[in-house]
Amino acid sequence: MQLDIELAPDARTVCADLNVVRQVLTNLLENSLRYTPPGGRIACLSRRDGEGVAVMVRDNGIGITSEQIKRIFERFFHVGDGTGLGLPIARWIAGAHHGALTLDRGPGTVFVLRMPPFEGAVSPGG
């Protein structure tokens, strides 16, 4: 398994609880690990998103069907093993921080956590 991590050089400051954002990213990475076969690749990338930040977790695992995409954020809906609570909680956490958690299909899956800027903060490099 290969894990690539790339952090944006022009990072922005966001207002968020570090522990719960860590919980969201951990959930996304654990899901990628669960559904990506040996020898697969997972990437965690951050970039500017307007004035905020977007963190993408992308894998080349088994992917997700169109029908599953429609329901993936529903409580107790799960693909394979798991409780079906991690992604709904992760999306709720993002929303509680005025952000968003979305899913795209790639090859594999692509989750994007978007967080708005911390108003009044001075970000590195700008």
Side-chain angles (χ1 to χ4, degrees), residues 12-18 20-21 51-53 93-99 114-121 123:
R12 295 293 179 204
T13 302
V14 298
C15 182
D17 182 313
L18 176 63
V20 294
V21 171
E51 292 299 312
V53 173
I93 289 170
H97 285 85
H98 305 286
R114 288 182 173 81
M115 300 297 289
F118 175 52
E119 296 301 322
S123 298

Side-chain angles (χ1 to χ4, degrees), residues 14-32:
V14 298
C15 182
D17 182 313
L18 176 63
N19 289 322
V20 294
V21 171
R22 182 181 298 133
Q23 179 182 352
V24 169
L25 293 174
T26 298
N27 177 270
L28 297 177
L29 288 166
E30 285 176 351
N31 285 343
S32 286

Side-chain angles (χ1 to χ4, degrees), residues 4-110:
D4 299 318
I5 299 176
E6 183 180 314
L7 303 177
D10 59 347
R12 295 293 179 204
T13 302
V14 298
C15 182
D17 182 313
L18 176 63
N19 289 322
V20 294
V21 171
R22 182 181 298 133
Q23 179 182 352
V24 169
L25 293 174
T26 298
N27 177 270
L28 297 177
L29 288 166
E30 285 176 351
N31 285 343
S32 286
L33 285 168
R34 183 178 301 132
Y35 297 109
T36 301
R41 190 172 198 162
I42 298 170
C44 184
L45 314 166
S46 73
R47 61 177 162 69
R48 271 184 77 173
D49 186 49
E51 292 299 312
V53 173
V55 179
M56 177 176 51
V57 176
R58 178 182 67 213
D59 65 57
N60 65 350
I62 63 172
I64 187 164
T65 68
S66 297
E67 187 58 36
Q68 292 167 335
I69 285 176
K70 294 175 189 173
R71 300 191 58 207
I72 199 70
F73 292 110
E74 291 178 15
R75 288 181 295 158
F76 303 112
F77 178 80
H78 53 92
V79 177
D81 59 353
T83 63
L85 290 173
L87 289 173
I89 291 170
R91 184 176 244 188
W92 180 87
I93 289 170
H97 285 85
H98 305 286
L101 178 61
T102 58
L103 168 65
D104 294 320
R105 288 196 302 192
T109 56
V110 181

